[in-house]
Amino acid sequence: MSKLKAGDYKSSVKPIWCPGCGDYAVLTALMRAFAQLELPKEEITVASGIGCSSRFPAFIDTYGIHGVHGRVLPLASGIKLGAPETTVVAVGGDGDGFSIGVGHIPHAARRNIDLTYLVMDNSIYGMTKGQPSPTSPEGAVSKASPYGSQERPLNPMLMAISYDVSFVARCFSGKIREMTDVFVQALEHPGFSLIQVLSPCVTFYNTYGHYNQITRALPVDHDPTDRLRAMALAMETETQYLGIFYREAGRATYSQRFETLQQRAPDTTLETIFESMKR
Ligand code: SF4
Ligand code: MG
């Protein structure tokens, strides 16, 4: 089979995102990453939640499922456990992942399920026409917060590192080459990777200019195995660092643990479990 190019992963469905939406760059970067890793389409599944960015699976020619609001991580985890050889990518937005779905992050982290979670963070609810989201800054003015949001934003990088996610990175839609490189490394990482992509909503909260000013690559001497330093860098909010904050190599994935368990209990079936419960 000849080598696939990024464009070969494109589906026949034309994205319906607004022109200029940051999510186009994420789609392109992910297709480029698949091509770089020479992943066959039939060995990839892209799962999503609900929201503008969650329309993603329709635009990419792999297996895909558009799930329910906030539940992309349980969905993606089930896919990975059922088909461990599949590359699983979970996608969604900040409302989907950091509000209704946020409770699933620590559990995916402690299980270290081998999947890549891309959160397209535009700091707004775009699909419902612009209400403040969990990452909107204090004072953010929207139709639903005409006097400015009165809530403090979450810090997704700090949260993910604290929860012990084994690969934590931040990208920006305005830097597609760097984003592709991070995606490649996240897909190669054996374990749970969470990537916050600053992906502006040009229609309801255009932050391109802001992010162009405040984003910067992580210091070249940053050691991604240094968890405390990664947390300190995540706590800096005036500068939003881009790149791989934290990476832990060598931790067993949930599928590996499951395999070991099966070897230890080769004769255990549902029937034998039910029998033992009767005793
Ligand atoms: Fe993108 Fe915002 Fe348009 Fe949704 S409303 S497609 S997030 S630009
Ligand atoms: Mg959003």
Side-chain angles (χ1 to χ4, degrees):
M1 198 180 73
S2 64
K3 199 170 168 286
L4 293 173
K5 294 190 284 300
D8 296 327
Y9 292 88
K10 217 185 256 180
S11 80
S12 56
V13 181
K14 203 167 168 266
I16 55 162
W17 293 317
C18 310
C21 176
D23 298 350
Y24 285 99
V26 183
L27 182 64
T28 303
L30 186 62
M31 292 191 299
R32 286 182 186 174
F34 287 158
Q36 263 189 50
L37 292 169
E38 300 185 27
L39 294 176
K41 294 180 192 186
E42 62 279 8
E43 289 176 16
I44 306 169
T45 301
V46 181
S48 70
I50 293 291
C52 286
S53 54
S54 286
R55 295 182 190 273
F56 208 96
F59 311 139
I60 199 156
D61 192 22
T62 62
Y63 286 107
I65 178 164
H66 190 171
V68 293
H69 198 22
R71 304 292 169 246
V72 66
L73 285 179
L75 181 62
S77 301
I79 294 166
K80 186 67 191 179
L81 291 183
E85 67 292 347
T86 307
T87 296
V88 180
V89 181
V91 297
D94 44 313
D96 193 70
F98 297 151
S99 184
I100 184 172
V102 74
H104 295 296
I105 295 175
H107 304 292
R110 68 196 181 85
R111 293 178 185 128
N112 202 29
I113 308 257
D114 186 14
L115 58 90
T116 301
Y117 184 25
L118 309 179
V119 186
M120 285 160 264
D121 184 357
N122 52 19
S123 297
I124 203 86
Y125 282 92
M127 199 173 74
T128 48
K129 303 202 181 315
Q131 299 80 18
S133 85
T135 54
S136 301
E138 266 180 285
V141 174
S142 71
K143 274 182 265 180
S145 56
Y147 301 102
S149 168
Q150 300 301 308
E151 295 168 3
R152 268 198 168 187
L154 282 181
N155 181 329
M157 291 292 89
L158 186 59
M159 178 177 71
I161 301 165
S162 314
Y163 281 156
D164 215 6
V165 175
S166 60
F167 182 110
V168 181
R170 185 192 279 134
C171 301
F172 170 40
S173 284
K175 297 218 181 294
I176 195 162
R177 226 183 11 213
E178 292 83 347
M179 178 159 51
T180 306
D181 182 47
V182 169
F183 286 2
V184 167
Q185 294 188 62
L187 289 163
E188 285 181 320
H189 172 74
F192 181 46
S193 49
L194 187 151
I195 301 160
Q196 177 196 19
V197 184
L198 305 173
S199 183
C201 168
V202 288
T203 303
F204 295 109
Y205 196 54
N206 192 342
T207 47
Y208 270 114
H210 177 62
Y211 286 138
N212 273 326
Q213 278 186 353
I214 68 156
T215 54
R216 180 181 311 167
L218 281 163
V220 278
D221 61 351
H222 174 56
D223 170 9
T225 63
D226 183 343
R227 196 163 166 216
L228 283 179
R229 181 76 188 126
M231 283 176 150
L233 289 164
M235 283 172 78
E236 291 204 23
T237 46
E238 281 184 19
T239 298
Q240 296 264 305
Y241 286 108
L242 303 176
I244 300 166
F245 282 69
Y246 180 65
R247 169 163 42 194
E248 182 193 347
R251 199 197 310 178
T253 66
Y254 198 76
S255 298
Q256 286 166 341
R257 286 176 192 273
F258 204 70
E259 225 179 272
T260 313
L261 213 58
Q262 279 177 325
Q263 282 162 11
R264 283 176 56 199
D267 302 326
T268 305
T269 61
L270 276 182
E271 286 73 24
T272 58
I273 292 171
F274 290 144
E275 274 307 311
S276 70
M277 285 163 77
K278 282 189 212 156
R279 277 182 241 132

